[in-house]
Amino acid sequence: MPHNKTAFMAASLLALALAGCTSERFAPMSSNRAPEPLAAAPSGTVTSNQLPPPSSPTNPSDFPAPPQQDTQVAALDPNAAANAPEVSTGAVAGVWSVNVAGQSCRVATPQTKFGAGYRAGPLRCPAPMDGVKSWNVEGKQLAFYDANGGVLARLYSSGAERFDGQTTSGQPISLSR
């Protein structure tokens, strides 16, 4: 019986070896087989024409107004800027509960450098805070920015662990811990 097992194993190994040797995978790379031709790509005609001149509107008000450059967003309280304490980046770093026009969410403000400020991560925030990508401290203000560096909101410290201000669209916003 041991003899039959050995003969069977030897025959099996020989069959596997022969099967592998007949595979095209082991054919030399320099074989004279040419690859199959590719199907032709669709072709068409290309024409060239002069574009008509741009039309000018008869009324200048037909143009949309250019976007306003935000130089500063007013705080809810006009005295907030004058009475607000200086803000440090270390005091802002962390996770904040945010209220934007009555809707709540959270924003992470780590001290990871990003662009001209620090990376920010909104957590299920409503617009416009859902687009926050970074933050920075500018004197007494905490500013949040979008991916293009546009200001989304400016806030002032209004007490221990609290900031209040407005979004660029005028919505009230507050941060607290």
Side-chain angles (χ1 to χ4, degrees):
M1 192 116 155
H3 187 328
N4 286 344
K5 278 187 178 179
T6 305
F8 178 74
M9 290 295 284
S12 296
L13 287 175
L14 182 60
L16 286 173
L18 288 175
C21 288
T22 61
S23 171
E24 289 184 20
R25 293 180 298 158
F26 297 109
M29 294 297 287
S30 63
S31 68
N32 292 333
R33 279 188 341 173
E36 292 185 27
L38 296 174
S43 63
T45 58
V46 176
T47 59
S48 173
N49 291 329
Q50 185 68 27
L51 291 174
S55 62
S56 61
T58 56
N59 184 356
S61 65
D62 290 344
F63 285 113
Q68 296 292 323
Q69 291 294 325
D70 173 50
T71 55
Q72 181 165 336
V73 176
L76 293 177
D77 178 3
N79 296 321
N83 299 330
E86 291 291 325
V87 179
S88 70
T89 56
V92 176
V95 178
W96 294 87
S97 294
V98 181
N99 187 305
V100 181
Q103 296 181 320
S104 297
C105 67
R106 309 229 340 132
V107 171
T109 54
Q111 283 186 291
T112 305
K113 285 300 254 175
F114 184 76
Y118 302 93
R119 186 170 302 281
L123 308 168
R124 298 187 183 110
C125 286
M129 292 302 288
D130 60 344
V132 167
K133 297 295 181 201
S134 63
W135 65 274
N136 204 359
V137 171
E138 299 172 357
K140 296 180 177 185
Q141 290 184 339
L142 166 60
F144 286 102
Y145 305 94
D146 63 16
N148 299 320
V151 176
L152 292 176
R154 292 192 189 273
L155 301 98
Y156 291 94
S157 176
S158 56
E161 305 291 307
R162 183 168 177 88
F163 287 87
D164 289 291
Q166 287 184 339
T167 65
T168 54
S169 61
Q171 297 173 307
I173 180 173
S174 64
L175 274 68
S176 61
R177 287 197 250 211

